[in-house]
Amino acid sequence: MSYVFNSLLGRLVGYRLYSVEFVLDFVQLHFDVFPTADMPMLTCDVSPTVIVSDRVIAPGQHGWADALVGLAGQSITATHEGVGAGISIEFETGAVRLRPSADELVNPEIATLNGFADGQWMCWRPTEEAFEYLRDVAPGAPSADQQ
């Protein structure tokens, strides 16, 4: 069975972001919707970019954590996933996007989505699916333009 873009990520539409957790070198976004036993969680091993009011706030920029936390309590209105585009989750007043550069890779994974009652899950890695554009880059290795 081949992978279908946005099939699992798209299940988040209508869910609410109820918690943002900063854990040393990764971020976890927790979602819920009632009534369901689903408690999905997106673990971001690469910190996501936050888009609020047409302002793009990258990890490390002033206000990034506040902008991410500011999305808590909002429902997901759309999700997107595609080759070269990475993944993005849109909320009522903003969005989070994962489309890392080679320099941002520190682990073998970019993100993992799990916590669905039916056991479905997805792990996004460099060179696979939406992150195929990172094909020639191993985490921690210099990119072609750095050699």
Side-chain angles (χ1 to χ4, degrees):
M1 182 163 99
S2 65
Y3 180 72
V4 177
F5 285 109
N6 212 39
S7 61
L8 187 63
L9 190 66
R11 289 174 59 179
L12 292 176
V13 173
Y15 282 67
R16 172 184 68 146
L17 175 63
Y18 78 86
S19 173
V20 177
E21 188 175 350
F22 299 93
V23 185
L24 294 177
D25 61 349
F26 61 94
V27 175
Q28 291 182 321
L29 306 177
H30 299 263
F31 307 96
D32 66 2
V33 67
F34 295 102
T36 181
D38 290 343
M39 295 297 288
M41 174 178 59
L42 180 68
T43 300
C44 304
D45 291 297
V46 174
S47 295
T49 299
V50 181
I51 299 110
V52 179
S53 301
D54 295 327
R55 181 175 170 224
V56 177
I57 308 167
Q61 287 183 324
H62 180 73
W64 173 79
D66 290 335
L68 189 55
V69 170
L71 297 172
Q74 296 185 34
S75 294
I76 297 171
T77 59
T79 61
H80 304 281
E81 177 182 10
V83 175
I87 61 176
S88 63
I89 300 171
E90 295 181 16
F91 297 88
E92 297 158 356
T93 65
V96 294
R97 179 177 57 207
L98 282 166
R99 192 187 182 286
S101 67
D103 296 338
E104 294 173 282
L105 300 176
V106 292
N107 295 316
E109 290 89 22
I110 293 170
T112 304
L113 177 61
N114 60 6
F116 291 100
D118 64 5
Q120 294 292 308
W121 64 281
M122 176 62 184
C123 181
W124 289 275
R125 295 178 186 91
T127 77
E128 300 174 354
E129 290 87 24
F131 302 98
E132 189 175 301
Y133 67 92
L134 295 165
R135 177 149 311 280
D136 297 324
V137 180
S143 61
D145 58 319
Q146 293 175 320
Q147 296 177 351

